[in-house]
Amino acid sequence: MNARFGVSRAKALAATALAAIAVSTVPGSASATADAHSEHWGVITRNTIGSPVADLRDGPYGSYGKRGNFARPPYGTGSLGISVADHSTSNSAPHEKVDFGNEVDFYGDPVLGLNKVGFHVFQTGENVDHGGPGNLPNIRFEINPNVSAHASDTYSTLVWVPDPVTVTNQWSPYLDATKTGYWYLTGNETACTQAARCNFSQLQFSLNDGGPRPTIYSVAVGKGRDNLWAGAVDGLRINKTIHDFEKDGVKTRRA
């Protein structure tokens, strides 16, 4: 701080520290420090089709005329913005797909150790027009299913599909993946398939077959390959940790 204001460097530093403490204790404010492994989050390029967008951003706020808690991101000031196109009108172009996630920090974690999963979403009326109120992003875990009946099968994607969100143009409440929506495995390793949907308890039971325990490869929020969607996600919860998507990185909060 400039000396002409009559404040010593020591006092200025003390004031700055007190201000940082105050900000960190305000409910809904951004975490004072970024996650040490924020750099491990990003677009999973091998799971990307077309030219979608999955980028950390400020907001969204609103939409216009919206007030109250649901008119702003649930944590901090930012979120993960997602946009995918629908090329269903063109036979030459595939539907877009994108996964934004972490391929490092969850590797080897037990699938059966998951007990709290979910997020908040910013849904719009236009998204509903394009695919109905169930046109929403998913949570995806790439896993080694370790199912005894398919011992050589070491890869599947565990997908959570949220229940439809009918309130639009604002942030949703927390969507709890352990109590709402449905789950399935992409490789049909258990009875939980895209055609035979399971709730969270049924999914866990289907993977707990007495053999080696299933393990996680990666965690992601994804969208596609189905309908056009443009919106945002924030507050991805994995057990006791909330992953707060901010423009300057992914930060962690204790749930």
Side-chain angles (χ1 to χ4, degrees):
M1 184 174 292
N2 195 308
R4 67 188 178 91
F5 289 103
V7 179
S8 70
R9 178 176 176 79
K11 289 182 179 179
L13 291 174
T16 301
L18 288 171
I21 292 170
V23 169
S24 69
T25 58
V26 174
S29 65
S31 176
T33 58
D35 176 16
H37 302 293
S38 180
E39 69 274 12
H40 293 161
W41 291 86
V43 172
I44 300 178
T45 52
R46 58 187 171 77
N47 290 346
T48 298
I49 299 172
S51 302
V53 173
D55 196 24
L56 299 174
R57 54 160 293 177
D58 283 331
Y61 288 83
S63 298
Y64 60 85
K66 300 290 184 181
R67 298 289 187 270
N69 292 336
F70 298 124
R72 54 167 295 141
Y75 298 97
T77 60
S79 66
L80 170 65
I82 298 175
S83 178
V84 293
D86 177 2
H87 294 295
S88 59
T89 57
S90 172
N91 293 328
S92 61
H95 294 258
E96 288 190 344
K97 176 183 182 294
V98 67
D99 278 357
F100 183 97
N102 187 320
E103 302 180 78
V104 179
D105 296 320
F106 300 91
Y107 181 77
D109 285 355
V111 175
L112 299 180
L114 294 171
N115 53 62
K116 296 292 183 182
V117 183
F119 59 33
H120 300 254
V121 66
F122 191 95
Q123 174 72 307
T124 70
E126 288 77 7
N127 292 332
V128 174
D129 291 341
H130 288 300
N135 181 23
L136 293 163
N138 312 121
I139 297 175
R140 297 170 176 162
F141 294 88
E142 292 180 299
I143 69 169
N144 181 347
N146 271 334
V147 176
S148 298
H150 304 278
S152 62
D153 185 346
T154 60
Y155 179 86
S156 187
T157 303
L158 178 59
V159 182
W160 173 64
V161 179
D163 280 339
V165 172
T166 57
V167 178
T168 61
N169 303 321
Q170 66 179 39
W171 283 97
S172 74
Y174 175 67
L175 306 181
D176 189 339
T178 67
K179 297 179 180 178
T180 63
Y182 66 90
W183 294 81
Y184 66 89
L185 290 165
T186 58
N188 299 336
E189 290 85 1
T190 76
C192 296
T193 68
Q194 197 163 6
R197 304 166 178 180
C198 287
N199 62 35
F200 185 71
S201 296
Q202 292 167 335
L203 169 78
Q204 296 281 62
F205 180 80
S206 76
L207 287 166
N208 189 12
D209 66 351
R213 296 302 177 96
T215 57
I216 296 171
Y217 292 137
S218 72
V219 175
V221 174
K223 187 67 179 82
R225 308 167 59 188
D226 44 21
N227 302 298
L228 181 153
W229 196 85
V233 169
D234 196 20
L236 171 64
R237 180 169 180 177
I238 308 293
N239 288 351
K240 294 182 179 180
T241 301
I242 294 171
H243 301 275
D244 173 15
F245 297 125
E246 295 294 330
K247 186 176 182 179
D248 60 347
V250 180
K251 305 180 181 184
T252 57
R253 297 169 175 268
R254 190 75 170 176

